[in-house]
Amino acid sequence: MGKTIVTTRAQESTNAIERLYITMRHLFNRGFYKPGGVSGESLKNALLLLRPEIYGSIAEEKAELNGLIYVLERLPEGIEQCRFINLTSDEGYGKSHFKAIVPPKRRRNCYRIDDEQMNIEITRRRSDIYDILTHLTFLFIESEKICKRVLIEDTDKTTRDWVKLEEAVKKEKLTQVEREVALIHTAQILGRSFEEILEIYEELATPKSPNRFLKIVYWLGKLAIEEEITGNKRAITFSALLRERLGHHIHGEQWAHTIKEVLAKHSLLRRPIHIISANMHSVMNTLFARNALKKEFPNTTGSLEIYEALSLPENKRLRDKVTAMAKANGMLVVDDTSRTNIDVQIFDLAKLGADACCYELAKDVPDEEKPVIFVMDYAFGEQAYETIDEFLKPYKAKKKKPVFLNIASVSIMGKAGILEGGKGDLMIPSAHIFEGTADNYPFKNELCKEDFEGHGLQVFEGAMVTVLGTSLQNKDILKFFHQSTWNVIGLEMEGVHYQKAIQSASKIRNSIKEDVKVRYAYYASDNPLETGSTLASGGLGTTGVKPTYLITDRILKQIFNS
């Protein structure tokens, strides 16, 4: 008899991810599915087998609270009340009376059509769909947990805890005693301690809806109970226009054309253009903040104190002062109208006034050869390919010959999950590996480990995995990547897509020069291999300020010295 082949947890997890994506693609092509039906069960079973770190105790009977907060921050408010969820393309809802609901941690427009339906606009390709369906599947699993705990077996009656929660939710205002009683019953329903429930209650409370957490638990349970008792199932649908448009660069093309029109209008198309994918503040602040805020920070030896002050919500006046100086010295702001949700800043270094910028160009560089820095806000997953691929194409104005852009460099900075080290530490990739495929993209990174040493941060150099979704990773997969000969140091969602666009433009289509410089650097937002250090454990706070500005400084120094 042959030996029995035993699969590892990493292999099982990889298979689970593959099944999730195949199922999601099938459901999208089909146009609809019911979470309580066969297809929905397939998604739930695959997610439960995978048990992603970000969803914590998803496979246990007790409710997962950190994962719930993480998901709710990325889905529209009120989605737990909706039996019907419709994923759509940009179909003109912004011109209706409906007010867009934008989740705090994902820029996507959502519209509450009626009491039972939520429409979610997809403008950032398949990554957006995968992200939403994964989060919705998590919510459906949690809602079924509530249903199983409160619905008395073989009856349509519910437990006393559920009755008391329902009574509390129906009241407009709760006294402290009533609120704590409701929280005790909720703790029993969720299988969590009163202390844990009180903490998440306070975290989710808003001035408009102080009892938001109670309502979320109630509606999650209510729809699952109704589905069980009446057979009235929830449904996810994909609009016909979305299915027709997906895969075409509709939004990316509009975005890129608008920006190239701005560059043409200001005679910047033929100047050396340095692309930086970053947030909308670090490049501007690094260029101008120290000089703009000399009065406010006269005795500051370093810049970190200034950057930390600028990151605080209450310091809008300081941020406005830096922005005003930037605009007076060649910064153009291009707000997004293409629905990509990617804003842009353009810095014309030929327009820098004396003592405005914190960096200096060589004095013998003529204005027509001075760099233009093009900063684009973060893309999301596959959207990175669509936007950069379109931007690197020649600019074609009406009845004029195409103009090839003089792209001097492309720099990508951002947050990523780290596999060794902690929040705020740095990763300098030498290659990108595309999860679930044999695709790999080695490149010469203009940034290296030595550029960042001596600043109190750990720096790691090696390959990085571009994952299909950050919410679909578990320790088994990540340990395999980290400990095998792949030598993976971290994971993110855009690297492969950026590099694929750069390589095709520079080496195949010849729309930009072949020796275009590339720079990649990431700082750690979380370590998914450490318990309590996933993205669901909370944000970076000011921990992210130091690595963000250190990376920005190194990129700008290379641009100014090029």
Side-chain angles (χ1 to χ4, degrees):
M1 290 180 65
K3 288 183 180 179
T4 304
I5 298 173
V6 180
T7 55
T8 64
R9 267 290 293 156
Q11 288 169 327
E12 288 175 358
S13 301
T14 302
N15 289 338
I17 291 176
E18 192 175 339
R19 283 209 306 278
L20 274 165
Y21 279 93
I22 290 170
T23 304
M24 287 181 193
R25 292 285 286 267
H26 163 69
L27 297 177
F28 174 76
N29 291 331
R30 180 179 160 195
F32 75 96
Y33 77 97
K34 294 179 180 178
V38 175
S39 300
E41 287 301 320
S42 176
L43 285 178
K44 284 183 276 194
N45 291 338
L47 201 61
L48 288 169
L49 176 63
L50 184 61
R51 298 198 295 277
E53 295 306 312
I54 217 158
Y55 293 152
S57 57
I58 185 174
E60 299 174 28
E61 283 188 18
K62 63 184 179 182
E64 168 51 37
L65 300 182
N66 284 335
L68 182 64
I69 290 177
Y70 178 83
V71 165
L72 291 174
E73 286 176 337
R74 286 154 178 81
L75 292 174
E77 188 174 345
I79 196 163
E80 70 281 353
Q81 302 172 13
C82 296
R83 192 183 306 281
F84 304 103
I85 297 164
N86 187 22
L87 274 57
T88 74
S89 177
D90 173 12
E91 298 176 18
Y93 297 112
K95 295 177 182 176
S96 68
H97 74 279
F98 296 110
K99 187 179 177 184
I101 306 167
V102 181
K105 295 289 179 76
R106 280 283 185 272
R107 288 181 299 171
R108 49 172 71 109
N109 290 339
C110 311
Y111 300 91
R112 184 72 177 267
I113 304 303
D114 54 38
D115 289 344
E116 291 191 306
Q117 181 175 333
M118 181 75 74
N119 282 15
I120 303 176
E121 273 187 5
I122 304 294
T123 58
R124 298 190 291 182
R125 295 174 65 86
R126 288 188 180 90
S127 298
D128 226 6
I129 295 175
Y130 297 153
D131 191 58
I132 291 165
L133 292 187
T134 307
H135 294 332
L136 287 176
T137 303
F138 168 83
L139 280 188
F140 296 138
I141 290 170
E142 292 300 307
S143 73
E144 285 181 4
K145 285 184 191 177
I146 296 169
C147 176
K148 285 175 184 174
R149 290 182 75 95
V150 303
L151 191 61
I152 299 168
E153 200 172 348
D154 297 327
T155 72
D156 59 358
K157 295 187 179 350
T158 54
T159 62
R160 181 171 177 271
D161 290 311
W162 182 256
V163 173
K164 293 296 181 183
L165 173 61
E166 190 169 33
E167 287 174 1
V169 167
K170 287 179 178 177
K171 290 182 181 178
E172 284 191 19
K173 285 187 178 178
L174 296 176
T175 64
Q176 183 181 350
V177 173
E178 289 172 330
R179 184 176 70 248
E180 290 181 356
V181 168
L183 290 174
I184 288 169
H185 289 296
T186 305
Q188 186 68 21
I189 291 167
L190 299 181
R192 292 284 186 172
S193 69
F194 174 76
E195 189 177 19
E196 289 174 307
I197 296 299
L198 184 60
E199 189 178 325
I200 191 173
Y201 172 87
E202 290 170 351
E203 192 166 344
L204 286 173
T206 64
K208 271 180 69 176
S209 182
N211 299 318
R212 185 182 168 213
F213 174 61
L214 295 178
K215 292 175 182 175
I216 288 167
V217 173
Y218 171 71
W219 278 101
L220 283 175
K222 178 180 168 66
L223 293 186
I225 292 166
E226 286 182 2
E227 192 166 310
E228 184 69 25
I229 293 172
T230 66
N232 198 0
K233 294 188 181 295
R234 290 165 284 187
I236 313 291
T237 54
F238 306 90
S239 78
L241 265 181
L242 174 64
R243 291 157 66 203
E244 179 186 317
R245 289 175 175 177
L246 196 72
H248 302 292
H249 291 190
I250 294 168
H251 301 287
E253 187 178 16
Q254 292 172 358
W255 175 84
H257 186 72
T258 300
I259 293 155
K260 283 185 263 195
E261 281 185 331
V262 173
L263 291 170
K265 180 182 174 184
H266 291 86
S267 304
L268 301 175
L269 278 175
R270 298 184 188 276
R271 296 260 297 280
I273 298 172
H274 296 266
I275 300 170
I276 304 178
S277 171
N279 52 55
M280 287 288 99
H281 55 78
S282 64
V283 174
M284 177 179 69
N285 290 346
T286 308
L287 288 171
F288 299 106
R290 275 178 295 164
N291 290 344
L293 302 176
K294 278 180 179 175
K295 286 184 181 178
E296 288 80 358
F297 297 90
N299 302 316
T300 302
T301 53
S303 307
L304 191 59
E305 184 185 338
I306 299 173
Y307 300 146
E308 286 180 344
L310 286 167
S311 71
L312 298 175
E314 61 267 25
N315 286 335
K316 184 177 182 298
R317 186 185 64 82
L318 297 182
R319 290 192 292 276
D320 288 346
K321 192 171 181 182
V322 176
T323 303
M325 177 174 266
K327 286 181 175 178
N329 287 274
M331 183 180 83
L332 303 169
V333 177
V334 186
D335 292 326
D336 175 59
T337 56
S338 66
R339 310 305 282 271
T340 59
N341 289 306
I342 299 177
D343 293 332
V344 162
Q345 294 166 335
I346 298 167
F347 297 88
D348 181 357
L349 300 190
K351 292 187 176 178
L352 294 177
D355 300 322
C357 184
C358 303
Y359 298 82
E360 283 187 15
L361 288 166
K363 290 185 169 54
D364 58 347
V365 180
D367 281 359
E368 62 272 16
E369 292 179 22
K370 286 183 178 176
V372 173
I373 298 176
F374 167 85
V375 182
M376 58 180 283
D377 208 345
Y378 297 121
F380 184 70
E382 283 186 12
Q383 188 191 35
Y385 176 76
E386 177 178 337
T387 48
I388 287 291
D389 182 61
E390 289 296 330
F391 185 72
L392 297 182
K393 291 177 182 177
Y395 172 59
K396 180 75 170 71
K398 287 181 181 178
K399 298 179 181 179
K400 289 186 180 178
K401 288 184 178 180
V403 178
F404 288 79
L405 276 65
N406 182 9
I407 305 295
S409 72
V410 183
S411 303
I412 312 298
M413 60 170 284
K415 294 184 287 188
I418 199 168
L419 300 184
E420 188 179 339
K423 290 186 177 185
D425 288 337
L426 299 174
M427 291 157 279
I428 313 301
S430 55
H432 289 298
I433 301 162
F434 198 10
E435 181 186 46
T437 73
D439 299 352
N440 52 82
Y441 296 81
F443 49 84
K444 183 188 182 302
N445 195 343
E446 295 296 316
L447 298 171
C448 63
K449 187 177 180 179
E450 288 70 29
D451 292 331
F452 301 94
E453 289 180 333
H455 294 273
L457 299 170
Q458 293 190 82
V459 189
F460 300 91
E461 213 164 22
M464 291 192 72
V465 174
T466 297
V467 297
L468 296 162
T470 52
S471 55
L472 289 178
Q473 309 306 310
N474 66 21
K475 287 183 180 177
D476 304 291
I477 297 174
L478 298 177
K479 279 179 183 173
F480 166 75
F481 276 128
H482 184 49
Q483 295 169 2
S484 70
T485 53
W486 283 110
N487 185 32
V488 168
I489 56 171
L491 60 146
E492 48 74 58
M493 282 188 67
E494 291 80 30
V496 157
H497 305 297
Y498 280 123
Q499 191 59 27
K500 184 165 60 172
I502 294 165
Q503 287 183 195
S504 63
S506 62
K507 300 187 187 303
I508 300 171
R509 294 166 130 172
N510 299 317
S511 54
I512 62 173
K513 60 186 181 182
E514 190 175 353
D515 61 346
V516 62
K517 288 180 165 58
V518 294
R519 305 180 188 91
Y520 289 91
Y522 300 90
Y523 63 93
S525 57
D526 63 302
N527 185 334
L529 288 178
E530 289 182 5
T531 303
S533 294
T534 67
L535 282 170
S537 66
L540 278 162
T542 55
T543 308
V545 174
K546 184 175 182 178
T548 297
Y549 284 93
L550 181 59
I551 294 170
T552 308
D553 173 70
R554 295 302 181 266
I555 291 171
L556 290 175
K557 277 181 176 171
Q558 288 196 9
I559 291 171
F560 274 79
N561 294 329
S562 61

